Amino acid sequence: MTRKRTLSTFLPILGWARQYSRQDAVDDSMAAVIVTIMLIPQSLAYALLAGLPPEMGLYASILPLVAYAIFGTSRSLAVGPVAVLSLMTAAAIGALGLTTPQDIALAAALLALMSGGMLLAMGLLRLGQVTNFLSHPVISGFITASGLLIAASQLRHLLGIDAHGHTLVETLHSLTQSLPDTHLPTVIVGGIALASLIWSRRSLKAALLKIGFKARAAELTAKAGPIVVVIGTTVAAWALDLGAQGVALVGSVPTGLPPIGLPSLDLGLIRDLWVPALMISVIGFVESASVAQTLARKRKQRIDPDQELLALGASNIASSISGGFPVTGGFARSVVNFDAGARTPAAGAFTAIGLAFAAFALTPLLFHLPKATLAATIIVAVLGLVDFGILKRAWGYSKVDFIAVAATLITTLAFGVEPGVLTGVAASIALHLYKTSRPHVAEVGRMPQSEHFRNVLRHEVETLPDTLMLRVDESLYFANARFLEDLIEERTAGDHPPRNLVLVMSAVNEVDMSALETLEDINTTLRSRSIDLHLCEVKGPVMDRLQKTHLIRDLTGQVFLSQWQAWRALGGSDTPRSA
Amino acid sequence: MTRKRTLSTFLPILGWARQYSRQDAVDDSMAAVIVTIMLIPQSLAYALLAGLPPEMGLYASILPLVAYAIFGTSRSLAVGPVAVLSLMTAAAIGALGLTTPQDIALAAALLALMSGGMLLAMGLLRLGQVTNFLSHPVISGFITASGLLIAASQLRHLLGIDAHGHTLVETLHSLTQSLPDTHLPTVIVGGIALASLIWSRRSLKAALLKIGFKARAAELTAKAGPIVVVIGTTVAAWALDLGAQGVALVGSVPTGLPPIGLPSLDLGLIRDLWVPALMISVIGFVESASVAQTLARKRKQRIDPDQELLALGASNIASSISGGFPVTGGFARSVVNFDAGARTPAAGAFTAIGLAFAAFALTPLLFHLPKATLAATIIVAVLGLVDFGILKRAWGYSKVDFIAVAATLITTLAFGVEPGVLTGVAASIALHLYKTSRPHVAEVGRMPQSEHFRNVLRHEVETLPDTLMLRVDESLYFANARFLEDLIEERTAGDHPPRNLVLVMSAVNEVDMSALETLEDINTTLRSRSIDLHLCEVKGPVMDRLQKTHLIRDLTGQVFLSQWQAWRALGGSDTPRSA
């Protein structure tokens, strides 16, 4: 799997920029316009979700896109603030107990810087595969739980009340307590925004098709639905002076870009933030890589996971030095970018220009934007992440996977995002070890008139009177070595023990040192009971190791290439008596 | 593996006591006398090693033996204080910063109580197999490192200086600093004791044989060598009044047994001690179970790991309420007990009587016993545990096992016993996952004139022109799902992609949900490139699960029972063109 790494491996822009055509530029700009329109409300909303001033959402959507355009290997990934990372950022910074907005903003930038550094380091160490240790069930459970947590956290903006909490119980409890303070005008604005957003998500495309839009145009125009809701509620708030009636508005947003600079490196903060930064790096990379891979596959392109780590690292550092917070490749915006026809990462750079323009010219217009509208935007976006079906699918497929999903889901809801991910990873690994520690072992016999051997319980097969053939369906390693020993002791006990025990090793991909010592013990024990131990179908790499050991030197029986050879050598003819 | 559990499962004494014969009683008493003589100095020495007053070693060797005789399933295991647990007890209690001997003794008793409770709980939960997660290399590395730590910790008693430390570096550094204070008379006593013990260990048996002892008598008498050294140095210390010259003596030891009672349950202490208590439980059980298993195998008896957990739990609780500290089955004493002819656990109960007599009648005689003698006893005992050969054997067998041994060994020496064990377990699991995350995948072809298929790189085999047969030598699960996807993408790329891809699943013992989703993705990707995906040799339990999934419903190719059937169906004849 090792590929030669050249300068253009590290700077993929050198690959595509050389062949960049006028048509590419037209396609990329078109996509950029649509993504920009979609990103303006989203980036403000995610900043709000992260507990940060709204302009930071815009800042986090400019330079990171440029950095990804230079270093990224996906042609369509759109990088910026996303819901789950914003939630994790809010949790990480909330735990610090900071009070001034300046400190909070600096901590968010530091978090992005640390996460960027970690991603860069992981990329240089070629750890692109490490995220495999997050199993699909764990990711699904985590994403669903995060969606619920995020939605719950936004209810306060919809109701115009004050409520907080890092877990579902805390948040709902806090909401219930403040419920009497519900602010009616806010509820009306939020309700209208929510209803319009849901309608535009569910039915706008169909409505546009009905009035004569082409399929693709309807698809893309429908994605711009949220901006209409944003404009509508902003105008309404201005016209009706809702701010004076107590509806929370975004208020004055600074115009222009922040000065570029590193956040201050406070050692105490770094110590407090390294665990969340690591989680944000890993979760962000998993989300981004899976989006990038899905889209690349559709156009038969490839992404390079190690280079993606570097690109996301660069994006987060870019976010950090330009007043942003942790970013990654987002699902919804990348799909829109892809569907809108983006051909190269230049589309991202064009989107960055669009958002920079917004930061320079449009911020005064955001004054009257109700926070309830942004909350509604977030709720609609994250409810798409919630997928309880995973519980049912996992239950149907495997109870072990179900436990992993359920543990992740419940822990995330009950204890927050970090314990959720950690529990999920620990549960997956523990369950995997548990499963492999009790391997399936089948007694096999010969399928009549063939050289094939199958489980005696599943097939009509022939066996030999004095020979027990056991097929071990698992690699032999420390977690199951003892189990095998006990099992063999049990199977060869009784009044009529066999004379020969054949271990069929076709499914044994590894014999580690613990298992080797156990096999030596088994050989010794069986010898004392006059039972010969034979091995067959030992795989090449396993045999290479065993060759040099006491086990093979002292083996009471033989090592056969195939089950058939073992069968013949131990007295089986072509017409043995039936079992 | 489930056996019916009756009252005599929980009280194995009901099994053997019924048939207890006069001959059994004679054999058991003989063994008990020899073990008692061996245990008196050892139990004092291990209390010293644990940083406790010497009489606690005697106390820890009385009731626990009785408890084990009632609940244990091994016929020859001898329970009591052992070197490694004493070291762990010293480390755990040293970290508490207690100052008065009373507090220290109470903490040790509490540690035994907690460990006993944990062992009981593990036994009731039938977790006898959990200790499998400590791989043999990790155990070997840990034991060797502990032996070195223990030996280093005893040097101060041999030199008559004051030095402390929980790691090898700390201990050696502290020793070097105090070296100028070396106390010559102590060094002489210690040196003589050490030399005599080493001689009695190495050459006493041969000497006894030479003067006419029978083989077994020589063997057992040689084991009593240490008591002679103890008596000799004690008498010398009394006769020469070495105490007055500054040689540290055991001094006055209370006569009789301590009052029976629970240690006070201080919640703060419990919080500080639960991690060490868990470690002591697990390590103690591993040590004890492996000794018990080795001895049981020699007499074709069996031990029941879950019941052993209960028995060790009861022993530790017994130790705790009778003024002792954590205990487990010891290797050396169990082997002596076995060799001396113990037939039933009653031998342990008789040993308990012997030690109770010692506690009542012999403690005044211990006044002049030099601590240097006890230190020499410990050093000689633990140097038998040190086995650097494991590093060489592991290196020769597998680099991954070597890393696990080396990591455990180094971490234990450098950071102490708890970090050592934890690092070892984490390293074993991480290395196992890493290995299985990059599985061996072989392209296979047909062995001429047979129905067998082998790796094209290792054998002269025939292949089909449009068909790629890949045998995956690992269960498919979250850690390697992505790897397989990348590998298949790579193998089917190029200018002449195959028409058929056959995955040979003979070594795939599991397909978890992550891998299932990946296989579905692979199927979709290959379909878009007009390559059919086939499966063959899918194991029964795996197929049972896959049956209900999209993968099988949407599979572009077929599921074949055997490679041979796949070969025939995809155009292979009996005389295909050679590869």
Side-chain angles (χ1 to χ4, degrees):
Chain A
M1 305 296 292
T2 313
R3 287 178 285 274
K4 211 176 140 229
R5 298 176 85 75
T6 62
L7 186 59
S8 71
T9 318
F10 291 108
L11 289 170
I13 192 174
L14 299 179
W16 56 264
R18 226 172 295 166
Q19 299 148 14
Y20 199 66
S21 69
R22 180 184 297 261
Q23 184 58 43
D24 286 339
V26 171
D27 288 347
D28 284 346
S29 327
M30 257 296 295
V33 169
I34 293 167
V35 175
T36 304
I37 290 171
M38 175 187 178
L39 277 191
I40 293 174
Q42 258 196 22
S43 56
L44 300 171
Y46 289 146
L48 187 77
L49 167 57
L52 300 169
E55 66 271 18
M56 286 184 77
L58 290 175
Y59 303 159
S61 307
I62 302 173
L63 278 197
L65 280 163
V66 177
Y68 188 83
I70 297 171
F71 296 105
T73 61
S74 163
R75 295 285 175 111
S76 9
L77 195 72
V79 166
V82 302
V84 173
L85 292 202
S86 299
L87 174 72
M88 295 176 84
T89 300
I93 294 180
L96 297 175
L98 301 175
T99 45
T100 72
Q102 287 80 359
D103 284 349
I104 291 174
L106 279 175
L110 181 60
L111 195 60
L113 184 69
M114 291 170 67
S115 167
M118 289 173 179
L119 287 162
L120 273 186
M122 286 162 72
L124 292 173
L125 292 170
R126 318 271 306 267
L127 294 181
Q129 303 294 338
V130 157
T131 51
N132 293 351
F133 295 109
L134 282 174
S135 72
H136 296 200
V138 167
I139 297 171
S140 305
F142 177 70
I143 296 287
T144 290
S146 299
L148 291 175
L149 281 180
I150 293 170
S153 77
Q154 297 306 302
L155 284 178
R156 64 191 165 105
H157 293 299
L158 279 191
L159 300 173
I161 57 181
D162 204 30
H164 291 278
H166 290 307
T167 69
L168 194 63
V169 175
E170 272 175 36
T171 308
L172 293 182
H173 179 74
S174 172
L175 278 171
T176 327
Q177 295 226 312
S178 308
L179 213 52
D181 308 334
T182 300
H183 185 248
L184 195 64
T186 305
V187 173
I188 293 171
V189 173
I192 291 173
L194 192 62
S196 325
L197 287 168
I198 293 176
W199 179 80
S200 94
R201 195 185 179 87
R202 292 224 181 122
S203 318
L204 181 56
K205 189 180 152 195
L208 291 171
L209 286 172
K210 214 175 276 174
I211 61 170
F213 273 61
K214 295 255 167 58
R216 184 150 164 273
E219 177 89 43
L220 292 175
T221 311
K223 298 284 183 196
I227 198 79
V228 177
V229 177
V230 166
I231 294 172
T233 51
T234 305
V235 169
W238 167 74
L240 305 174
D241 200 9
L242 293 177
Q245 295 176 41
V247 174
L249 303 178
V250 164
S252 68
V253 174
T255 295
L257 294 175
I260 301 291
L262 274 182
S264 63
L265 302 174
D266 178 324
L267 278 182
L269 273 186
I270 289 177
R271 204 184 46 233
D272 289 342
L273 288 178
W274 80 266
V275 174
L278 185 61
M279 300 275 210
I280 284 175
S281 306
V282 172
I283 296 286
F285 176 63
V286 168
E287 177 168 356
S288 178
S290 69
V291 177
Q293 194 130 40
T294 307
L295 297 180
R297 210 178 278 137
K298 289 195 185 178
R299 292 220 184 114
K300 296 179 195 166
Q301 295 160 348
R302 291 191 64 149
I303 64 152
D304 171 350
D306 295 323
Q307 179 63 24
E308 283 298 291
L309 281 167
L310 297 179
L312 289 179
S315 300
N316 273 290
I317 292 173
S319 181
S320 168
I321 62 171
S322 59
F325 59 103
V327 295
T328 195
F331 181 71
R333 72 193 64 171
S334 300
V335 170
V336 169
N337 195 35
F338 180 89
D339 286 344
R343 315 235 44 106
T344 76
F350 297 155
T351 307
I353 295 173
L355 286 160
F357 171 74
F360 267 107
L362 303 183
T363 49
L365 303 180
L366 298 173
F367 188 92
H368 289 281
L369 171 55
K371 287 187 173 180
T373 303
L374 293 179
T377 312
I378 295 177
I379 290 177
V380 173
V382 297
L383 286 183
L385 303 177
V386 174
D387 169 24
F388 280 112
I390 182 69
L391 282 170
K392 197 171 152 240
R393 290 197 302 281
W395 179 263
Y397 184 68
S398 138
K399 301 298 168 281
V400 163
D401 283 308
F402 174 80
I403 295 174
V405 181
T408 312
L409 187 69
I410 292 169
T411 323
T412 306
L413 290 179
F415 301 103
V417 285
E418 285 172 28
V421 177
L422 292 177
T423 305
V425 171
S428 308
I429 293 176
L431 290 167
H432 173 73
L433 292 176
Y434 176 75
K435 268 187 296 186
T436 55
S437 76
R438 313 177 74 80
H440 180 249
V441 176
E443 184 181 347
V444 294
R446 179 191 177 224
M447 302 281 278
Q449 267 82 47
S450 85
E451 298 182 11
H452 296 293
F453 291 76
R454 288 288 184 276
N455 191 338
V456 297
L457 301 178
R458 287 179 180 255
H459 301 267
E460 275 292 327
V461 293
E462 297 157 352
T463 56
L464 293 172
D466 285 337
T467 299
L468 178 64
M469 296 179 93
L470 293 180
R471 192 189 66 213
V472 184
D473 287 353
E474 196 63 67
S475 289
L476 295 176
Y477 76 113
F478 60 88
N480 59 26
R482 178 74 66 83
F483 178 89
L484 181 71
E485 190 173 8
D486 289 349
L487 183 130
I488 287 179
E489 212 158 299
E490 196 164 88
R491 293 284 182 98
T492 56
D495 296 335
H496 299 289
R499 279 276 307 121
N500 296 291
L501 174 68
V502 182
L503 286 185
V504 182
M505 309 272 279
S506 50
V508 175
N509 305 307
E510 193 215 338
V511 173
D512 81 351
M513 221 167 142
S514 305
L516 172 69
E517 289 174 11
T518 305
L519 285 174
E520 288 171 354
D521 288 347
I522 291 172
N523 185 45
T524 309
T525 311
L526 291 180
R527 172 190 287 137
S528 75
R529 298 165 53 204
S530 305
I531 302 173
D532 287 348
L533 176 67
H534 308 268
L535 304 179
C536 75
E537 309 252 356
V538 183
K539 283 173 192 302
V542 173
M543 198 61 212
D544 288 348
R545 275 191 207 297
L546 292 183
Q547 210 76 63
K548 312 168 259 177
T549 63
H550 282 288
L551 175 66
I552 298 298
R553 253 174 284 152
D554 300 345
L555 196 68
T556 46
Q558 290 172 261
V559 179
F560 298 105
L561 187 63
S562 68
Q563 298 179 73
W564 177 240
Q565 285 179 11
W567 172 270
R568 294 288 296 266
L570 298 174
S573 69
D574 272 336
T575 54
R577 72 178 194 96
S578 191
Chain B
M1 303 291 293
T2 313
R3 285 180 287 274
K4 207 173 141 233
R5 299 177 85 73
T6 62
L7 187 60
S8 72
T9 318
F10 290 107
L11 289 171
I13 192 173
L14 298 179
W16 56 264
R18 226 172 293 166
Q19 301 146 13
Y20 201 67
S21 69
R22 180 183 298 260
Q23 184 58 41
D24 287 338
V26 171
D27 288 347
D28 284 346
S29 328
M30 259 296 294
V33 169
I34 294 168
V35 174
T36 303
I37 291 171
M38 174 188 178
L39 276 191
I40 293 174
Q42 258 197 20
S43 56
L44 300 171
Y46 290 145
L48 187 76
L49 167 58
L52 300 169
E55 66 271 20
M56 285 184 76
L58 290 175
Y59 303 158
S61 307
I62 302 172
L63 278 197
L65 280 163
V66 177
Y68 189 84
I70 298 171
F71 297 104
T73 60
S74 163
R75 296 285 176 111
S76 9
L77 194 73
V79 166
V82 303
V84 174
L85 292 202
S86 300
L87 174 71
M88 294 176 84
T89 300
I93 293 179
L96 297 176
L98 301 173
T99 46
T100 73
Q102 287 81 356
D103 284 349
I104 291 174
L106 279 175
L110 182 60
L111 194 60
L113 184 69
M114 291 170 67
S115 167
M118 288 175 180
L119 287 162
L120 274 186
M122 287 162 71
L124 293 174
L125 292 171
R126 320 271 306 268
L127 294 181
Q129 302 296 340
V130 156
T131 51
N132 293 351
F133 296 110
L134 283 173
S135 72
H136 296 199
V138 168
I139 296 171
S140 304
F142 177 71
I143 297 286
T144 290
S146 300
L148 290 175
L149 281 180
I150 293 169
S153 78
Q154 297 306 302
L155 285 177
R156 64 190 162 106
H157 294 298
L158 279 191
L159 300 172
I161 58 181
D162 203 32
H164 291 278
H166 291 305
T167 69
L168 195 62
V169 175
E170 271 175 37
T171 309
L172 294 181
H173 178 77
S174 172
L175 279 171
T176 328
Q177 295 226 313
S178 308
L179 213 53
D181 309 333
T182 299
H183 186 246
L184 196 63
T186 304
V187 174
I188 294 171
V189 173
I192 291 174
L194 193 61
S196 325
L197 286 168
I198 292 176
W199 179 81
S200 92
R201 193 184 179 87
R202 292 225 180 122
S203 319
L204 181 55
K205 188 182 152 193
L208 292 171
L209 287 171
K210 213 175 277 174
I211 61 171
F213 273 62
K214 294 255 168 57
R216 182 148 164 275
E219 176 89 44
L220 292 175
T221 312
K223 297 284 184 198
I227 200 79
V228 177
V229 177
V230 165
I231 294 172
T233 51
T234 305
V235 169
W238 166 74
L240 305 173
D241 200 9
L242 293 179
Q245 296 177 41
V247 173
L249 303 177
V250 164
S252 69
V253 174
T255 294
L257 294 176
I260 301 290
L262 273 182
S264 62
L265 302 174
D266 177 324
L267 277 182
L269 272 185
I270 291 177
R271 203 184 46 233
D272 290 342
L273 288 177
W274 79 266
V275 175
L278 185 62
M279 300 274 211
I280 284 174
S281 307
V282 172
I283 297 284
F285 176 64
V286 169
E287 178 167 355
S288 179
S290 70
V291 177
Q293 194 130 39
T294 307
L295 297 179
R297 210 178 279 138
K298 289 194 184 179
R299 290 219 186 113
K300 296 181 194 165
Q301 295 160 348
R302 290 191 66 147
I303 65 153
D304 171 349
D306 295 323
Q307 180 63 25
E308 281 299 289
L309 280 168
L310 297 179
L312 289 179
S315 300
N316 272 292
I317 292 173
S319 181
S320 169
I321 63 170
S322 60
F325 58 102
V327 296
T328 195
F331 182 72
R333 73 193 62 173
S334 299
V335 171
V336 169
N337 194 35
F338 180 91
D339 287 343
R343 316 235 41 109
T344 75
F350 296 156
T351 307
I353 295 172
L355 285 160
F357 170 76
F360 267 107
L362 303 184
T363 48
L365 303 179
L366 298 174
F367 187 93
H368 290 282
L369 170 55
K371 287 189 173 179
T373 303
L374 293 180
T377 312
I378 294 179
I379 290 175
V380 171
V382 299
L383 287 183
L385 303 177
V386 174
D387 169 23
F388 281 111
I390 181 71
L391 282 170
K392 197 172 151 239
R393 290 197 303 282
W395 179 263
Y397 184 67
S398 137
K399 301 300 169 280
V400 163
D401 283 309
F402 174 79
I403 295 173
V405 181
T408 313
L409 187 69
I410 293 169
T411 324
T412 307
L413 290 179
F415 301 103
V417 284
E418 284 171 32
V421 176
L422 291 178
T423 305
V425 172
S428 308
I429 293 175
L431 290 167
H432 173 73
L433 292 177
Y434 176 75
K435 268 188 296 186
T436 55
S437 76
R438 314 177 74 80
H440 180 248
V441 176
E443 183 182 345
V444 295
R446 178 192 178 225
M447 302 281 279
Q449 267 84 51
S450 85
E451 298 180 12
H452 296 294
F453 291 77
R454 288 289 183 277
N455 190 337
V456 297
L457 302 177
R458 287 178 179 257
H459 300 267
E460 275 291 327
V461 293
E462 298 157 352
T463 57
L464 293 172
D466 286 335
T467 298
L468 178 64
M469 296 181 92
L470 293 179
R471 192 190 68 215
V472 184
D473 286 355
E474 197 64 67
S475 290
L476 296 177
Y477 75 114
F478 60 88
N480 58 28
R482 178 73 67 84
F483 178 88
L484 181 71
E485 190 173 8
D486 288 348
L487 183 130
I488 288 180
E489 212 159 299
E490 196 164 87
R491 293 285 182 97
T492 56
D495 295 334
H496 299 289
R499 280 275 308 122
N500 296 290
L501 174 69
V502 182
L503 286 185
V504 183
M505 311 272 282
S506 50
V508 174
N509 305 306
E510 193 215 339
V511 173
D512 81 352
M513 224 169 137
S514 304
L516 173 68
E517 289 174 11
T518 304
L519 285 174
E520 289 171 354
D521 288 346
I522 292 172
N523 186 44
T524 309
T525 310
L526 291 180
R527 172 191 287 138
S528 75
R529 297 166 53 204
S530 306
I531 302 173
D532 287 348
L533 176 67
H534 308 268
L535 305 178
C536 75
E537 309 253 356
V538 182
K539 283 174 193 303
V542 173
M543 198 62 211
D544 289 347
R545 274 191 208 297
L546 292 184
Q547 211 76 64
K548 311 169 259 179
T549 63
H550 283 289
L551 175 67
I552 298 298
R553 253 174 284 150
D554 300 345
L555 196 68
T556 45
Q558 289 173 260
V559 180
F560 298 105
L561 188 61
S562 68
Q563 299 180 73
W564 176 240
Q565 284 178 11
W567 172 271
R568 294 288 295 266
L570 298 174
S573 69
D574 272 336
T575 54
R577 71 178 195 97
S578 189

